Structure formats: structure tokens, C-alpha cells
Amino acid sequence: MNTWISKIKNYYTWSTFATRELNKLGHKHVKCLHGSVDTDTFFRYDDKSREAIRKGNNIPQDEFVIGFVFRNQLRKSVPNLLEGFKIFKDKSPTHKRAKLLFHTSLDEGWQIFKIAKEYNVPESDILLSYVCSECKQYQVTNLLESDSCPFCRSSNTFHTVNARNGVSEKQLNEVYNLMDVYCHPFTSGGQEIPIQEAKLTELITLVTNYSCGEE
């Protein structure tokens, strides 16, 4: 690694922790250049619009929604989040109606509902983002048994968001606006862009104080 880094004239990382560590190894030419985020697409809706988005997804206004937007990879700390959510609900009687919103795919990575069962987190406390591959409509809801789209009625098209079929940025902004708090736990990362997107929607963000989480 040291050999090929020294041969690259302009070497940039996405986070300062990586730049710092490479500088320590003697690669003083390495600099940090953060990845870009569209600051126009992501923003906080007014309260009336936020209420309308919740109503459209059948989410009660008094539910406290903790969201996580992520690729379902093992470096994302899903078990820790589920364990912390259980502790939070047990210790905070005023948030008995709290929900976890996982904007991710169930077809890869962590077996979310198996882990939730281990921590005694009810299935009803977990919300998921579904999108239709045909009509592109989305819905945030509890685990669905059917894969038929409730909007266009097409079959085998309504699945949790994934790398091949996801929501638009406008729809993603609406998903952030469903949340009360954003929580993004991970073991490592170069730049976790959803954290910045969540901040642009003016959500309180909870982040692992490690690697890119430092900044």
C-alpha cells in the first residue's frame, strides 16, 4: 500500500481520520476532500407537510420515529441499534410508542427480524421502506407479507429498497421528514452521506464517534 500511495501525485481521502493516519505513515501529500452532498434536495418540510407525509404512510403523529438510512452491510451496527432501542423503550415510559425505521434491504446483510427477536423488540416496532419497481411509488410501513404493489397492483414488484431499486431523492427527503431523530451506528466509514442528508433535514443525528463519525 505504501508503495503505490507514494506514486500517486494527487491523493485525496473523504475523511480527515484517513488523511491523518496516512500522514503519520509519511505520506504528507495526502489531503482530505469530502464527497459532495446536494444541499438543495434535502431540507426540512414545514410541520403541516411533515404531518401529511406521516398521514400518507399511516404513521400516527404521536409515534417517535428513530430512522437509519443504510446499505444492509455487516459494518453497519444493526444489532447494537436494536439493543439500544430496547433499552431506550424500557427506560423511557413516555416513548412506549417509539419505532425504528430501517430504510434498507431485507435481502442482504443482517437478518433484522431475527436479531430483533433476540432482543425482544416486537416486529410491530420496526418500520421499513418499500418501493415498487414498476410505478416507483414508495411506502413506509411494517413488514409486509405480500410483494404486490398497493398502488399499481402489479405483482412481485413491491420490495424493501435496495441498490438496484430505490426511491428518488425527493422521496428520500420525505422519508427523512418522517423521522424525529436520526441514528447511524457503524464500525467504520469513509463518509456516511446519509448523516449529512439527515442534518440538512434538521434532524438530531446520533453517530458513532469513530472514523468519519469524528467529524
Side-chain angles (χ1 to χ4, degrees), residues 106-118:
L106 293 181
D107 296 328
E108 62 178 350
W110 295 104
Q111 298 182 44
I112 291 173
F113 286 93
K114 180 180 179 181
I115 300 169
K117 189 174 182 180
E118 293 174 1

Side-chain angles (χ1 to χ4, degrees), residues 1-213:
M1 179 177 179
N2 285 340
T3 302
W4 57 259
I5 288 181
S6 61
K7 293 180 180 179
I8 299 173
K9 182 179 179 180
N10 298 303
Y11 190 102
Y12 294 93
T13 69
W14 271 17
S15 295
T16 55
F17 85 94
T19 302
R20 182 178 65 244
E21 294 305 314
L22 289 170
N23 288 166
K24 286 181 181 178
L25 293 174
H27 304 295
K28 303 300 183 182
H29 66 297
V30 176
K31 300 177 182 179
C32 177
L33 179 64
H34 295 295
S36 61
V37 178
D38 189 342
T39 58
D40 294 324
T41 301
F42 299 97
F43 58 90
R44 183 181 179 88
Y45 282 101
D46 60 58
D47 291 344
K48 192 170 183 179
S49 297
R50 287 166 62 87
E51 290 174 6
I53 296 170
R54 281 205 173 197
K55 187 175 181 180
N57 287 277
N58 298 312
I59 299 174
Q61 303 299 329
D62 61 346
E63 284 190 346
F64 187 78
V65 179
I66 303 164
F68 186 14
V69 175
F70 65 109
R71 178 80 183 268
N72 193 358
Q73 302 158 307
L74 298 184
R75 70 181 183 85
K76 307 296 171 59
S77 304
V78 170
N80 304 73
L81 181 54
L82 285 163
E83 181 182 15
F85 178 74
K86 173 62 175 174
I87 294 170
F88 169 71
K89 289 200 70 173
D90 288 345
K91 291 188 175 182
S92 181
T94 57
H95 286 131
K96 288 298 182 185
R97 291 178 60 80
K99 304 290 182 183
L100 267 181
L101 195 174
F102 287 114
H103 185 87
T104 194
S105 173
L106 293 181
D107 296 328
E108 62 178 350
W110 295 104
Q111 298 182 44
I112 291 173
F113 286 93
K114 180 180 179 181
I115 300 169
K117 189 174 182 180
E118 293 174 1
Y119 287 113
N120 295 315
V121 174
E123 184 179 294
S124 59
D125 280 353
I126 297 175
L127 300 173
L128 301 165
S129 296
Y130 288 84
V131 64
C132 178
S133 57
E134 288 292 326
C135 70
K136 304 302 180 183
Q137 294 292 315
Y138 81 95
Q139 185 176 25
V140 174
T141 184
N142 293 117
L143 181 67
L144 298 177
E145 295 183 3
S146 173
D147 58 12
S148 296
C149 177
F151 301 101
C152 68
R153 305 301 177 186
S154 56
S155 60
N156 194 32
T157 61
F158 207 58
H159 303 281
T160 49
V161 295
N162 56 66
R164 297 179 303 278
N165 186 48
V167 297
S168 67
E169 289 201 333
K170 179 181 181 299
Q171 291 170 326
L172 180 56
N173 188 51
E174 292 179 0
V175 173
Y176 284 119
N177 274 273
L178 287 171
M179 304 173 189
D180 293 291
V181 168
Y182 183 79
C183 187
H184 196 105
F186 57 93
T187 61
S188 61
Q191 179 178 336
E192 302 294 292
I193 291 178
I195 298 170
Q196 284 99 56
E197 294 172 345
K199 284 184 174 295
L200 287 168
T201 62
E202 301 181 30
L203 288 169
I204 294 172
T205 54
L206 310 175
V207 184
T208 307
N209 185 23
Y210 175 75
S211 69
C212 69

